[in-house]
Amino acid sequence: MKIDFANPSAQFHAHKGEIETAILEVIRGNQYILGDQVKKFEENFATYIGVEKAIGVANGTDALELALQSLEIGAGDEVITVSWTAVATVAAIENVGASPVLVDIEHEFYTLDPNKLQEVLSPKTKAVLVVHLYGQPADMESISNFCNKNKLFLIEDVSQAHGATLNGKKLGSFGDVACFSCYPTKNLGAIGDAGIIATNNTILAEKILLLREYGWAKRYESKIPGRNSRLDEIQAAILNVKLGFLDTDNISRNEIANLYREKLDPNLFKTPIVRKSSQHAFHLFVIQSEGRDDLISHLNSHGIFPGIHYPKPIHLQEAYINRLKSGGDMSATETVSKKILSLPIYPELSLENVKKIIQVLNSFRS
Ligand SMILES: *Cc1c(COP(=O)(O)O)cnc(C)c1O
């Protein structure tokens, strides 16, 4: 037995026939970039999230950069986000010339602590970039209220929470603009790089469409300065197949999560708490444990390979340490970073294997 925390190849095998047919159709056709498959994916994804428009792009980091640029956020501007996220979130803010301002998370949910926003607010603040980490919705009511009150843009990074809901609404429909990565391991994953942006603001959507391809309103005529962040047809065709399975896949992830939450020894492990009135997407199933590094060795010796998301908070990484503005107290972020562990979770993981993993976990130190 060898079980990793994620397994994108198992997902391909689960839908092999349909995916291979979709790829063949593209390569036998004559449109490889920004064609019918991308259009179809954009329309279906916008409908799925419940927004006016979606724009396919090259990856999740680009999605964040284009969203920021469409809001004219750049040099001299500050964007508030968390230190507890994929580095891409923070890198994207710097890539457009703006300054990330990092705040702590709510210890029990792993998402941005709304109580930390006021102390970092400055005349330079333009936006809050909220991350729905591990598939868990952030506290959107408090964060939206703060943004409205202070006239800030609200940007959602939904790269780990495709399909998750809060109060019956899909994540990605709360902010001014929302960004999704479709990296292979994500809940909606391509077989390569891909990303998508969702928004209810059609003017913003038009601008992102221009920015995505050299500012072209018409071919070879740039209306505004842009770049290349095109989504290719093969990835879009694969995503069109997989979008049809996203809801059932998320149900499978929740079944696995429920089994872990029910059966893991509460004296040994702290399991995730799901926010009220929400559906968690369980991109990752993250527990906290004392003696985490010994636990990893124990699991490895039984063929189980968990992940750590993330080993080091961004404000302590070499590229960023003592350089970024932050809310000061990062105790929740720093505490969880030493204890967290991502257990195997993916739609194709059988409940039999989950039970075996639980047995191995509960035998830790016994
Ligand atoms: C994966 C991820 C990204 C980056 O997406 P890429 O497609 O790898 O560029 C951004 N933010 C979060 C929270 C992610 O998990």
Side-chain angles (χ1 to χ4, degrees):
M1 180 165 93
K2 180 179 182 296
I3 303 177
D4 291 308
F5 71 87
N7 188 348
S9 156
Q11 175 130 93
F12 163 64
H13 287 284
H15 310 295
K16 189 171 181 286
E18 273 183 84
I19 290 172
E20 287 179 347
T21 304
I23 292 172
L24 263 182
E25 220 173 280
V26 173
I27 61 181
R28 285 175 177 165
N30 60 5
Q31 179 80 35
Y32 297 148
I33 297 268
L34 295 184
D36 291 344
Q37 291 292 338
V38 170
K39 254 195 217 102
K40 183 176 156 194
F41 179 52
E42 291 173 338
E43 284 169 14
N44 289 346
F45 194 73
T47 305
Y48 177 80
I49 298 296
V51 293
E52 286 293 322
K53 290 279 173 197
I55 304 105
V57 297
N59 58 64
T61 312
D62 277 10
L64 291 163
E65 290 180 25
L66 291 166
L68 289 160
Q69 283 174 331
S70 73
L71 296 167
E72 303 195 0
I73 292 170
D77 298 331
E78 291 180 352
V79 177
I80 304 172
T81 192
V82 282
S83 180
W84 197 237
T85 178
V87 74
T89 314
V90 173
I93 296 169
E94 288 207 320
N95 289 346
V96 302
S99 304
V101 177
L102 306 181
V103 294
D104 208 359
I105 51 170
E106 294 182 274
H107 187 268
E108 61 273 40
F109 299 119
Y110 302 102
T111 53
L112 191 148
D113 184 348
N115 296 315
K116 301 295 169 82
L117 291 170
Q118 190 63 43
E119 62 182 294
V120 294
L121 183 69
S122 90
K124 292 180 178 175
T125 311
K126 287 282 152 42
V128 174
L129 203 178
V130 64
V131 184
H132 305 294
L133 203 73
Y134 306 152
Q136 172 93 278
D139 178 354
M140 295 311 284
E141 194 180 329
S142 308
I143 298 166
S144 296
N145 286 343
F146 180 84
C147 288
N148 289 336
K149 195 173 126 209
N150 296 291
K151 299 198 162 45
L152 305 177
F153 293 118
L154 176 55
I155 305 168
E156 296 178 74
D157 184 343
V158 204
S159 298
Q160 300 193 3
H162 315 68
T165 66
L166 182 63
N167 297 320
K169 257 180 75 167
K170 290 252 163 54
L171 299 185
S173 64
F174 288 83
D176 293 285
V177 55
C179 306
F180 299 77
S181 164
C182 298
Y183 183 82
T185 55
K186 307 285 159 114
N187 288 38
L188 179 62
I191 304 183
D193 274 314
I196 191 157
I197 302 171
T199 180
N200 273 315
N201 183 331
T202 50
I203 296 165
L204 217 56
E206 282 302 313
K207 203 152 146 198
I208 293 165
L209 221 57
L210 292 182
L211 288 168
R212 171 177 78 176
E213 197 176 34
Y214 316 124
W216 283 352
K218 238 176 14 191
R219 208 168 176 76
Y220 308 128
E221 277 186 42
S222 297
K223 198 171 169 187
I224 56 170
R227 57 188 283 181
N228 168 10
S229 183
R230 294 179 295 233
L231 175 59
D232 76 70
E233 285 283 288
I234 291 180
Q235 298 309 334
I238 293 163
L239 290 167
N240 279 325
V241 172
K242 289 206 186 176
L243 184 57
F245 298 104
L246 179 55
D247 282 341
T248 49
D249 281 353
N250 281 347
I251 290 170
S252 304
R253 287 176 183 271
N254 271 275
E255 281 168 1
I256 294 166
N258 286 341
L259 197 54
Y260 277 136
R261 290 165 71 200
E262 242 168 69
K263 298 278 163 61
L264 284 177
D265 184 346
N267 297 316
L268 289 175
F269 312 111
K270 184 178 180 300
T271 56
I273 299 165
V274 178
R275 193 181 295 282
K276 209 171 127 264
S277 307
S278 77
Q279 275 177 325
H280 200 302
F282 282 108
H283 170 58
L284 294 169
F285 190 90
V286 174
I287 59 165
Q288 291 180 35
S289 166
E290 300 300 330
R292 180 198 47 198
D293 297 336
D294 292 341
L295 177 61
I296 293 173
S297 308
H298 173 70
L299 288 168
N300 289 171
S301 73
H302 288 85
I304 301 159
F305 296 86
I308 299 179
H309 302 87
Y310 296 87
K312 221 186 231 181
I314 291 172
H315 68 281
L316 299 179
Q317 295 189 21
E318 192 181 339
Y320 302 102
I321 193 164
N322 296 332
R323 191 166 70 72
L324 299 188
K325 196 171 145 185
S326 80
D329 177 27
M330 288 284 187
S331 55
T333 297
E334 289 175 17
T335 307
V336 301
S337 72
K338 298 187 189 89
K339 296 184 178 175
I340 43 111
L341 196 65
S342 308
L343 299 183
I345 192 163
Y346 47 89
E348 297 74 23
L349 178 63
S350 72
L351 295 180
E352 293 320 302
N353 277 337
V354 177
K355 284 177 194 157
K356 283 184 201 158
I357 296 165
I358 291 168
Q359 253 175 19
V360 174
L361 279 156
N362 285 346
S363 71
F364 180 50
R365 283 183 175 161
S366 66

